Amino acid sequence: MSGANQVDDKQEPAADSLKLKLRRIIFGTVSPEGKAFDIVLIYVILFSVLVVMLDSVSWIGEAYREVFWGLEWAFTAIFTVEYVARLYCAKSRWAYASSFYGIVDLLSILPMYLSLISGDATYLLMIRILRVLRIFRVLKLANYLSEANVLIRALLASRQKIFVFFATVLVLAMMFGSLMYVVEGPAHGFTSIPKSIYWCIVTITTVGYGDITPQTTAGQMVAGFVMLTGYSIIAVPTGILTAELSREIQTHRDHRFCEECGKAGHEHDSKHCKACGHELPPPG
Amino acid sequence: MSGANQVDDKQEPAADSLKLKLRRIIFGTVSPEGKAFDIVLIYVILFSVLVVMLDSVSWIGEAYREVFWGLEWAFTAIFTVEYVARLYCAKSRWAYASSFYGIVDLLSILPMYLSLISGDATYLLMIRILRVLRIFRVLKLANYLSEANVLIRALLASRQKIFVFFATVLVLAMMFGSLMYVVEGPAHGFTSIPKSIYWCIVTITTVGYGDITPQTTAGQMVAGFVMLTGYSIIAVPTGILTAELSREIQTHRDHRFCEECGKAGHEHDSKHCKACGHELPPPG
Amino acid sequence: MSGANQVDDKQEPAADSLKLKLRRIIFGTVSPEGKAFDIVLIYVILFSVLVVMLDSVSWIGEAYREVFWGLEWAFTAIFTVEYVARLYCAKSRWAYASSFYGIVDLLSILPMYLSLISGDATYLLMIRILRVLRIFRVLKLANYLSEANVLIRALLASRQKIFVFFATVLVLAMMFGSLMYVVEGPAHGFTSIPKSIYWCIVTITTVGYGDITPQTTAGQMVAGFVMLTGYSIIAVPTGILTAELSREIQTHRDHRFCEECGKAGHEHDSKHCKACGHELPPPG
Amino acid sequence: MSGANQVDDKQEPAADSLKLKLRRIIFGTVSPEGKAFDIVLIYVILFSVLVVMLDSVSWIGEAYREVFWGLEWAFTAIFTVEYVARLYCAKSRWAYASSFYGIVDLLSILPMYLSLISGDATYLLMIRILRVLRIFRVLKLANYLSEANVLIRALLASRQKIFVFFATVLVLAMMFGSLMYVVEGPAHGFTSIPKSIYWCIVTITTVGYGDITPQTTAGQMVAGFVMLTGYSIIAVPTGILTAELSREIQTHRDHRFCEECGKAGHEHDSKHCKACGHELPPPG
């Protein structure tokens, strides 16, 4: 949910129009009704994702075609009501409609309505595939996992390093891929430079499908070098990330100072100063 | 062994009924007889596991059919005696019988008795397979490896982070798997969304069997992106874990207890108890 | 760009001969013209690399043969002008021509001129392949990524450890590879010791193509041991690297300089210069 | 070289019998002659290993059969002279002959002499294979890489943890392997429990050959769980190792105390106390 629509449950306690009530239930996460709405919605989303998945398994999809069709329309109805309600009570309708979740919400109900317009078979296949996008609604779950925030913050803090790492691996893959295209050639599966780059990414990340493998001795030597180089180099960003995280965890431990001796760096569960024994202020 | 049955060898020194003697030998790990019993049992378990394994190799299983059959009955006899003895001398019979090890102990003797009831061939196969469960008895070994406790504690301490990591990878696998189902389609091996998710887990964890591989250029580009993203993201939990472990090892280095409130886990440079403020003994 | 040709834009402000002007634009990175030149050049390089890549895809290469031929000559013309201009205005022509980038610049224009001399088909193929070397010009991008410097410095600082790691893995691969050649033999794909070493590198780095796999039980046991050993040992260099990086980041956290002797790199809790003992300014 | 034969070049400066001279050259590493002997020997070993490797490549081995035969005899002669000389001048002949390097030295010369006794073809093949053991002589190189000592010490310090990790992975592999034997069965390549355990090791270490892969949906779910579990659990030992290394590097930094204020924990390059500015004793 975009920040603009986040309801501050405490600052608007007396508001009682339908719109404000709805907003508190749909966008809010603190009031009992808001919590209940969120929990019900999450189960509906998870169930609808499960239906899309099972429907894609051919023998299940064929055996229960009518059941799945009915369930699809039920989910579309529920999500349509939710989408309209969100649009109605959002503080800024455009902000919601153009936000990531607004677009995902729209895309997850559109396919079934499009299927009414055309009965063409290939067209229906595309609609079926579009429904898969509903899976992105699962991301809303992230709001309810406080532990996920640590991960997301750690990722955001190191996004520059991850980008450089990405770029480095890509440039390495371009070079070694081109080299392998020259060494092995189209006869051994390295049919083009983009395909050789794909091989190099598969190798450098140690995935190693084995769908394209070097056949010549020279190619195997280059491949061995790529594996070892990649392996050695890839250890570096992990090291940098760990070192930075380690520093962050150690320095952001506690911001309290002892009022008696001024000692800082206390642990979160400390009640008394570890240097002079004076009582500490409560953490927070 | 469940904590409820753990014998306190020192608090009941004068007890001399058969039951208490047996309990000290079977559940206890301190007395010489208890130690000897445990060591013998571990060797029997390891040997019985080896027999089950060798029996599963078709040519060995066929060549020594009678030997293995005899050994199986011998093991079943030994484990039956042990199970009955444990039941007899356990402080709480129900607590033992319903504990994890109690169920494993029962399951490892049941198959042979079931084989007496029915001589049906397919039924016998299932019994043979059930015997494999005996391998879980190997877990009892963990009690004798003090180093394993560090690992288990580290795992328990970071179980929330591991769960978030699990969930993150699963959600990523669901998204990228669905995307690949759309991009590659059933014609290239991505026959259903669950199968595409399986492919995505195989790729993101860098296992890379190669039983399902992208064939189209678009699919290979998505796959390359999945590999790099997965690789970058997967480094984060390792980093978090290492950083937390690093902090734990550094801060919990102290063996001092507060003489006033008994609080442990002080830092090396602490002079006063962080819980009650009482002066601590000097570190050393 | 080699350091010898790096223009110090501030120390030669009044120079106005064509040569100096050109040098400031081509080798310099500070003046607006120099920046603009670099940006244009990077786009041209990236575009020319893209063309080489697309040309290598057989159906694209055949469909747009004339377009690619024209583009190739255009790029060759641009890079020839650039090469001649660099040679003309370089402080030391020989230093530039013999530097890594000088050779890459030359190699990326040579193939097209060589294609004029001979019209032989196999000869043309080799020329086509030589053009791939142009991809190494992408490395010039590294100069514009300040974050890349951290990575490069980290790699340089740990180059001795990486070399030892490289050597260790190679020796391990030689031993286990030879062992597998003895255990599995040519009949199961391990046709020679070099090939067995290639298998061992593929296995120890956990790439695992699966093009050569152990078939015998003994071979699979050795392979399992190689995987576990490799996995355990490979964790060590990562650990060493992380630990060293962690220390470096923690100790070099301070930006204070000693007012007496100019010594930098003090720790946060330092009150006196560790080199001369002079009092330090307070941190922050 | 075993410690018992290590020559202390400084404590026996006046000894001048042939035996002592030889010992200083062959076992010593400090005197110029000793250094020269070691360097020559390393090159001979590396060259002989290269010859064994090239000989194993079938087309090279057949084309240069006589050359390799001659070289083999030359190497055997050189290594025989070295072995006899080592035996002659060793402080304790038995200690050398029964040491790891003594056995490797003997095994690397035996095959050629055995080939004189029997001309049987299959026998010759075994002799050829035995020569491969000469590769273990490469280990002598380790003595000349001081950086390798850090790695070896780090490995020795964490050998208990690596053993626990080994045991944990093996037990996990036994359990999940048995489970997969039950779930997938012999029809899908999981022909026996040992083979299923091999599959599980291949999967848990993320090698992923793909020679045995789960075919059923249930099997793929278990496999996905194995991958994620293995991946999560395997991060723990790396974390523990890194954390311990990190602590070791930080605590073993310096043992000096300030004579003025008693402050400890100085850096190696510190000349003055960082707390009071008093001059520190030189590090040592």
Side-chain angles (χ1 to χ4, degrees), chain D residues 42 52 57 61 86 92 94 124 140-141 155 157 196 207 263-264:
Chain D
I42 283 167
V52 172
V57 183
R86 278 190 194 269
S92 158
W94 180 244
L124 276 176
K140 290 192 179 174
L141 278 169
L155 272 178
S196 298
V207 170
K263 176 86 188 173

Side-chain angles (χ1 to χ4, degrees), chain C residues 49-279:
Chain C
V49 165
L50 190 74
V51 164
V52 173
M53 280 184 186
L54 288 177
D55 193 21
S56 77
V57 183
S58 54
W59 67 268
I60 302 178
E62 273 158 33
Y64 301 94
R65 189 188 298 266
E66 282 79 27
V67 180
F68 285 140
W69 200 247
L71 281 170
E72 260 322 303
W73 273 114
F75 290 134
T76 303
I78 293 169
F79 293 147
T80 305
V81 170
E82 187 215 341
Y83 185 68
V84 170
R86 277 188 194 271
L87 263 191
Y88 169 70
C89 71
K91 264 184 186 163
S92 158
R93 270 163 211 179
W94 181 243
Y96 166 68
S98 64
S99 72
F100 175 72
Y101 284 121
I103 292 164
V104 167
D105 286 352
L106 183 63
L107 281 175
S108 66
I109 54 173
L110 265 190
M112 291 307 279
Y113 294 115
L114 289 174
S115 76
L116 291 180
I117 303 167
S118 164
D120 188 5
T122 41
Y123 197 71
L124 276 176
L125 189 77
M126 247 196 63
I127 282 160
R128 209 175 226 176
I129 281 166
L130 262 178
R131 277 185 327 175
V132 170
L133 289 170
R134 191 172 298 156
I135 282 173
F136 283 92
R137 300 195 79 184
V138 173
L139 282 178
K140 290 193 179 174
L141 278 168
N143 293 335
Y144 301 94
L145 283 168
S146 64
E147 283 285 334
N149 293 328
V150 183
L151 234 107
I152 289 164
R153 244 184 300 131
L155 272 178
L156 284 179
S158 53
R159 67 177 176 282
Q160 264 196 310
K161 294 217 161 49
I162 287 174
F163 172 75
V164 171
F165 169 58
F166 237 85
T168 308
V169 173
L170 264 180
V171 169
L172 277 176
M174 276 165 71
M175 279 175 204
F176 284 121
S178 306
L179 197 63
M180 281 303 272
Y181 174 70
V182 174
V183 171
E184 287 278 327
H188 297 118
F190 295 78
T191 50
S192 66
I193 295 182
K195 198 155 200 176
S196 299
I197 291 172
Y198 162 73
W199 168 84
C200 199
I201 292 176
V202 168
T203 300
I204 253 182
T205 58
T206 76
V207 170
Y209 284 138
D211 50 351
I212 314 167
T213 53
Q215 308 289 322
T216 63
T217 307
Q220 289 175 347
M221 281 174 69
V222 173
F225 185 75
V226 169
M227 289 170 210
L228 289 175
T229 308
Y231 211 95
S232 307
I233 286 173
I234 275 167
V236 175
T238 314
I240 289 176
L241 181 68
T242 306
E244 295 240 323
L245 270 168
S246 198
R247 187 189 54 168
E248 216 159 279
I249 284 174
Q250 276 177 356
T251 55
H252 290 284
R253 236 189 308 187
D254 213 314
H255 296 291
R256 291 179 295 171
F257 289 86
C258 175
E259 286 157 357
E260 186 74 18
C261 71
K263 175 85 187 172
H266 297 288
E267 289 177 281
H268 250 314
D269 60 344
S270 295
K271 281 177 191 145
H272 287 264
C273 174
K274 64 183 178 180
C276 71
H278 190 84
E279 208 167 322

